[in-house]
Amino acid sequence: MGKILVTGGAGFIGSHTVVELQNVGKEVVVLDNLSNASEKSLERVSAITGKKVPFYKADILDREALEEIFSKEDISAVIHFAGLKAVGESVAKPWEYYENNIAGTLTLVDVMRKHGCKNIIFSSSATVYGDPAFIPITEECPKGVCTNPYGWTKSMLEQILSDIQKADNEWNVILLRYFNPIGAHKSGTMGENPNGIPNNLMPYITQVAVGKRDHLNVFGNDYDTHDGTGVRDYIHVVDLAVGHVKALKKIEEKAGLKIYNLGTGQGYSVLDIVKNFEEANGVKIPYEITERRPGDIATCYADATLAKKELGWEAKYGIKEMCEDSWRWQKNNPNGYQ
Ligand code: NAD
Ligand code: UFG
């Protein structure tokens, strides 16, 4: 096996995955255009692993830059995180999302095949299930209607990568459908670093805890759930990162086309998260109930038994550790990587 190219490797999930890859002795090369990340995350990776992280500041839309990387480096597989991911922004800027995520991936995959590298692990999302047909969600659950362009890019890219694999079975394609990644590296030196007002629940909570925001807005308490607030499957980012190492092993064994949910199988409501965060960290999170957020669903959690069976992977961190680790990162780095 040659080197592993990690696109979007300076980002939240990517940087944690680089740590786990280097920890098991993989040779990693990172590509990121830093549109939503800081190169400092890679310095933190090096401090943890004691290894250099070869880095190319490049865009997946830049064919020449990709050609150069694939010519210089002996890349045998790509873990493809690079993409824009803000749901609300994607509604306002659909062209930018389709261009970046879809045209970017098409360019990447074209350069890959020209260089004989036909192994890819793709960051998909539970969002492809839309309002899921059944809960807990297995991989057999039909894909649904997405409520925003971001979700459609994931759904469409799954189709595109599947079609490419079906047409040429030298390809090994693993689609990983993430549920809700939170938490941070135990060291407290790496974590999620959102620009501006966080869209997602946990970074919003940690910013309330650190005093940057006054209170949490809870988007609706009239859902059909145990306390009326939305239920999700939160998964520790380090568990997610380890999932990629296991998927890579599957690729090395000639995976063909595979799809796996990466979740814990446990659903927690917004108020469950608030309570767990308060208990784990001894901080108060003031909140107000507000209107539902458009496009949100009541309940989403995984049946993750297929990943356990076929990848030998299962999440090992519980909600307490997720809350503690998110807080340690935020507390030690109130301004993220700045
Ligand atoms: P992130 O924004 O921290 O990481 C994405 C990285 O890709 C960033 O570092 C960004 O600078 C880079 N990037 C974006 N466009 C690029 C381009 N054209 N060329 C090169 N680099 C580019 O996000 P994340 O949370 O680490 O997510 C990683 C992947 O997982 C994304 O594809 C995301 O859609 C997917 N995902 C995330 C979640 C989540 O809740 N965080 C859930 C499901 C799926
Ligand atoms: N929520 C609040 N207040 C906030 C933020 C969120 O009440 O300030 C609630 C939401 O209504 C939802 C829950 O917290 O019930 C989780 O919301 P997030 O925004 O953290 O996560 P989502 O489940 O909406 O979406 C996330 C990612 C998507 C990904 C999806 C996969 O943002 O990219 O998980 O399940 F597709």
Side-chain angles (χ1 to χ4, degrees), residues 85 87 125-127 150 178-180 198-202 204 216-219 230-232 234 270 293 296-297 300:
K85 64 157 188 178
V87 171
S125 166
T127 200
Y150 164 72
Y178 312 154
F179 283 68
N180 289 53
N199 294 300
N200 297 117
L201 181 63
M202 185 52 86
Y204 205 103
L216 170 73
N217 292 308
V218 175
F219 300 144
V231 168
R232 298 289 183 275
Y234 296 92
V270 177
R293 181 171 67 179
D296 275 357
I297 55 175
C300 175

Side-chain angles (χ1 to χ4, degrees), residues 51-332:
K51 290 175 187 158
K52 278 212 174 107
V53 185
F55 174 61
Y56 291 86
K57 182 171 187 290
D59 199 297
I60 51 169
L61 283 158
D62 183 347
R63 183 178 286 274
E64 266 177 39
L66 293 177
E67 287 286 355
E68 194 192 319
I69 297 168
F70 277 86
S71 302
K72 269 198 193 152
E73 309 277 357
D74 169 30
I75 309 283
S76 60
V78 176
I79 306 185
H80 179 33
F81 295 103
L84 296 173
K85 64 157 188 178
V87 171
E89 184 183 62
S90 80
V91 176
K93 296 182 173 174
W95 188 88
E96 283 76 4
Y97 271 67
Y98 289 117
E99 165 82 351
N100 190 77
N101 293 4
I102 295 190
T105 302
L106 288 174
T107 308
L108 171 69
V109 163
D110 192 33
V111 174
M112 285 174 70
R113 63 180 181 173
K114 285 186 176 144
H115 288 263
C117 172
K118 297 183 178 178
N119 296 313
I120 189 167
I121 297 171
F122 174 64
S123 298
S124 189
S125 166
T127 200
V128 302
Y129 295 113
D131 196 348
F134 53 84
I135 300 276
I137 305 171
T138 67
E139 294 79 357
E140 300 288 299
C141 184
K143 283 166 76 181
V145 175
C146 298
T147 52
N148 56 75
Y150 164 72
W152 282 121
T153 68
K154 294 296 175 195
S155 191
M156 290 176 189
L157 282 167
E158 283 201 353
Q159 187 68 47
I160 290 168
L161 293 171
S162 302
D163 289 343
I164 288 170
Q165 196 282 332
K166 281 175 202 151
D168 173 0
N169 64 16
E170 284 178 10
W171 275 94
N172 295 295
V173 171
I174 297 188
L175 310 174
L176 296 178
R177 294 177 176 161
Y178 312 154
F179 283 68
N180 289 53
I182 60 170
H185 192 266
K186 289 276 164 217
S187 62
T189 61
M190 296 172 54
E192 198 169 0
N193 186 32
N195 284 324
I197 303 172
N199 294 300
N200 297 117
L201 181 63
M202 185 52 86
Y204 205 103
I205 288 179
T206 60
Q207 290 200 5
V208 171
V210 84
K212 282 186 141 184
R213 320 249 158 229
D214 178 61
H215 68 276
L216 170 73
N217 292 308
V218 175
F219 300 144
N221 66 350
D222 57 352
Y223 286 103
D224 183 16
T225 63
H226 66 273
D227 61 16
T229 66
V231 168
R232 298 289 183 275
D233 185 336
Y234 296 92
I235 172 165
H236 197 294
V237 64
V238 172
D239 276 330
L240 199 58
V242 171
H244 292 75
V245 177
K246 303 279 188 183
L248 194 60
K249 186 158 167 281
K250 189 82 183 171
I251 289 257
E252 288 165 7
E253 296 162 4
K254 304 285 305 153
L257 172 65
K258 295 282 182 184
I259 303 178
Y260 300 106
N261 286 338
L262 295 184
T264 65
Q266 284 268 346
Y268 289 97
S269 74
V270 177
L271 294 181
D272 290 336
I273 297 296
V274 169
K275 189 163 152 272
N276 276 282
F277 189 91
E278 291 181 335
E279 282 174 8
N281 298 314
V283 256
K284 201 82 201 129
I285 304 298
Y287 67 85
E288 282 173 21
I289 308 292
T290 61
E291 291 291 289
R292 288 183 176 196
R293 181 171 67 179
D296 275 357
I297 55 175
T299 304
C300 175
Y301 60 90
D303 177 327
T305 48
L306 190 66
K308 183 173 179 188
K309 189 167 147 233
E310 295 193 5
L311 300 179
W313 172 89
E314 100 187 284
K316 72 176 199 219
Y317 296 112
I319 199 65
K320 184 166 183 278
E321 282 151 313
M322 296 185 222
C323 290
E324 286 170 352
D325 296 343
S326 292
W327 177 226
R328 188 179 307 110
W329 153 251
Q330 180 77 76
K331 196 173 43 175
N332 294 351

